[in-house]
Amino acid sequence: SAAVANRSEAIRDLVRRGLNALPPPEAEADCVGVISCAVDQSMSELSRRIRLARMGRHDEIMFTASVPVNHSETIDIVIVHGPVARVGDYARELFQERGVRHGALSLTPVAEVAEFHAHGNEAPHSHSHIQIKASF
């Protein structure tokens, strides 16, 4: 029923608000951050500055996408891995650019874990994986 759906949504909203009120994670905590924002692509210098900033973090950026929503604006998504402070600094720098609006950052706590195993017919070897943690 509508009442149950509205009550469930109200509870979800309260949980979201509670989670947002938690103290921020430690600056050095490892995370994967999802950054999203609207970008005015008609500002040629803005596009260049965004591109250069991404190149400067090539070893941290895991994924980027720029989705056109009209002839001059896009929704940009960047997934970044690193310490909370560094990911947050990158998001703030991006959000302060003239022509960038509706910026949002979501942080997921992770840990890098070394494993020793084989894939298929390969010889066993050691490498690291990112594992999602329950909390910061």
Side-chain angles (χ1 to χ4, degrees):
S1 84
V4 171
N6 288 339
R7 191 172 337 132
S8 295
E9 185 55 38
I11 291 169
R12 281 191 291 276
D13 187 48
L14 287 172
V15 169
R16 280 188 222 106
R17 288 181 191 190
L19 290 173
N20 287 334
L22 292 174
E26 293 294 322
E28 292 305 312
D30 198 19
C31 74
V32 170
V34 178
I35 302 168
S36 63
C37 57
V39 177
D40 182 348
Q41 296 292 340
S42 68
M43 300 177 72
S44 62
E45 282 302 305
L46 173 61
S47 297
R48 187 181 72 74
R49 286 193 306 273
I50 289 173
R51 188 173 57 255
L52 290 174
R54 286 181 184 170
M55 295 300 290
R57 294 174 182 267
H58 67 89
D59 56 334
E60 302 167 32
I61 293 180
M62 303 170 73
F63 173 83
T64 64
S66 187
V67 181
V69 293
N70 59 40
H71 292 286
S72 63
E73 296 171 308
T74 60
I75 299 295
D76 283 17
I77 301 161
V78 183
I79 300 178
V80 187
H81 174 227
V84 166
R86 185 138 170 93
V87 171
D89 287 346
Y90 176 55
R92 278 186 294 283
E93 289 168 14
L94 180 61
F95 300 159
Q96 290 173 1
E97 289 281 356
R98 187 170 167 266
V100 173
R101 296 179 296 146
H102 306 291
L105 169 62
S106 173
L107 300 176
T108 300
V110 298
E112 211 163 313
V113 178
E115 294 184 359
F116 188 81
H117 61 257
H119 296 274
N121 295 329
E122 295 178 355
H125 61 280
S126 177
H127 61 266
S128 64
H129 290 278
I130 296 173
Q131 290 186 340
I132 296 174
K133 295 171 35 178
S135 66
F136 283 102

